Amino acid sequence: LTATPESAARVAQQNAERKQALDGLIDAIAPIRIENVVTGDAALMVQPTTRRAGSKQFRIEGLNAASGEWETVRAGQRYSAFQGGVQLANRLGALNEIEFSEFVAKVQGFGDALNAAVDLPDMLHEVSRARELDQFAGEHDAQLSFMLRPRRAAWSPGYIEQHAAAAGFVSAAMPGRMQLPSVTPAHAPLLTLVYDAQAAQADNLDQTAVHEVWLSLDVPQVPRTEEPFTRLREVVQQLCEGMDGMLCDQNGYQLLPQVLDPIAADLDKLYDKLDSRELSAGSMLARRLFN
């Protein structure tokens, strides 16, 4: 069967929805019990206007009376229950007491507006869970970056983009940034290529000198099945050969390709740890936690 553009769009929308769905593994969740079915229109009128409690994502979901599925509250639907949740941790740190209190105020205000009963989780318990999750995330977060430098003459932005495009990269919204797309719609890019943003906006791109290009892999954001590190090595080889460049560390010192071998082994161990915690790289939960 061949997927139509419409069905592909539906799948992408469903994937985006699942990415945001509350999950007790990384969210503190407060059930909201209502006596009678509430329309999505009525719930939207009293839903908090912001989607954050401090630096953490906040969300209210409704239990669709027709489908029996939890979902983002939508107009035209009917709901038999609600739940509010706040993310326990992200790359900015663990949920703290102030953020938890803001979450409580938001979800209690929503419940009061619907004359509903809100079952709030215990703050100390959730903050403790948040710290433990944050510690795990900090120990298993990997963002790899490597520098490519020209062996002889400096590169121009046009020259870089030409060779990067041949390797599969596409331009991103920000100047001087390109991305190697994932094969899965709505997923994070496999790799990111970055060079001087000012050079990318110069009047004469062919006469502008660029002396370094960065290749980055955000490990927890990309599924291991897509073999992003293998792809990174292939891109490094292709760009170095095509642009007469060399692989360097963050200080600009040349690296031999074989230094990447032990990194591959370390990444396999990291993937296994994430899998064992049900936070597999590239999964919706990992993409939310490592964000």
Side-chain angles (χ1 to χ4, degrees):
L1 294 176
T2 302
T4 64
E6 291 79 7
S7 65
R10 272 199 307 275
V11 170
Q13 182 178 3
Q14 290 167 355
N15 286 340
E17 175 71 17
R18 283 197 293 271
K19 174 183 176 182
Q20 301 298 327
L22 291 174
D23 190 298
L25 195 63
I26 68 168
D27 294 297
I29 300 176
I32 304 169
R33 294 177 284 110
I34 52 178
E35 293 185 1
N36 301 304
V37 171
V38 172
T39 65
D41 302 77
L44 287 171
M45 288 182 63
V46 297
Q47 183 168 288
T49 55
T50 60
R51 293 294 185 91
R52 290 199 170 273
S55 65
K56 306 303 181 291
Q57 185 183 75
F58 166 79
R59 179 179 172 85
I60 287 179
E61 294 180 337
L63 185 62
N64 192 299
S67 69
E69 298 286 337
W70 289 103
E71 65 180 26
T72 302
V73 178
R74 295 181 292 150
Q77 302 299 311
R78 292 163 58 83
Y79 298 100
S80 57
F82 296 94
Q83 60 183 8
V86 63
Q87 194 163 312
L88 293 172
N90 57 24
R91 279 178 169 158
L92 295 176
L95 180 77
N96 58 42
E97 290 86 349
I98 295 175
E99 290 171 325
F100 186 88
S101 297
E102 186 176 338
F103 156 64
V104 167
K106 287 178 181 291
V107 73
Q108 190 67 64
F110 177 78
D112 290 346
L114 296 180
N115 196 28
V118 179
D119 298 325
L120 294 169
D122 179 72
M123 181 180 73
L124 294 180
H125 176 70
E126 297 302 327
V127 168
S128 176
R129 284 209 306 139
R131 289 172 180 160
E132 191 275 332
L133 180 62
D134 181 58
Q135 181 176 349
F136 173 86
E139 293 171 351
H140 298 87
D141 196 357
Q143 300 175 74
L144 305 179
S145 292
F146 296 97
M147 182 194 299
L148 303 184
R149 301 188 74 174
R151 292 183 180 275
R152 298 177 181 84
W155 298 319
S156 69
Y159 186 75
I160 294 169
E161 293 186 5
Q162 174 188 346
H163 284 274
F169 285 80
V170 297
S171 296
M174 296 175 60
R177 181 181 291 264
M178 300 183 74
Q179 296 175 333
L180 186 65
S182 166
V183 297
T184 307
H187 272 215
L190 265 67
L191 304 172
T192 301
L193 181 150
V194 178
Y195 65 92
D196 185 1
Q198 288 186 331
Q201 300 176 83
D203 293 334
N204 191 336
L205 296 181
D206 292 330
Q207 299 297 320
T208 304
V210 177
H211 296 278
E212 59 187 44
V213 168
W214 289 89
L215 277 173
S216 300
L217 164 60
D218 192 341
V219 176
Q221 291 283 330
V222 184
R224 70 193 300 182
T225 52
E226 296 193 31
E227 300 184 332
F229 190 68
T230 299
R231 193 73 181 94
L232 172 65
R233 300 184 72 162
E234 293 171 351
V235 168
V236 166
Q237 181 177 355
Q238 181 176 346
L239 293 182
C240 284
E241 290 178 357
M243 299 167 62
D244 191 21
M246 57 184 179
L247 176 67
C248 299
D249 64 13
Q250 295 186 354
N251 296 315
Y253 294 106
Q254 184 175 4
L255 297 174
L256 297 177
Q258 50 264 40
V259 304
L260 301 179
D261 292 339
I263 297 177
D266 289 340
L267 285 181
D268 278 335
K269 295 177 183 177
L270 175 62
Y271 286 133
D272 290 341
K273 290 283 183 64
L274 292 173
D275 290 344
S276 68
R277 187 68 184 249
E278 299 182 52
L279 292 167
S280 299
S283 67
M284 68 164 184
L285 294 181
R287 283 182 282 145
R288 287 180 56 206
L289 177 61
F290 297 96
N291 189 27

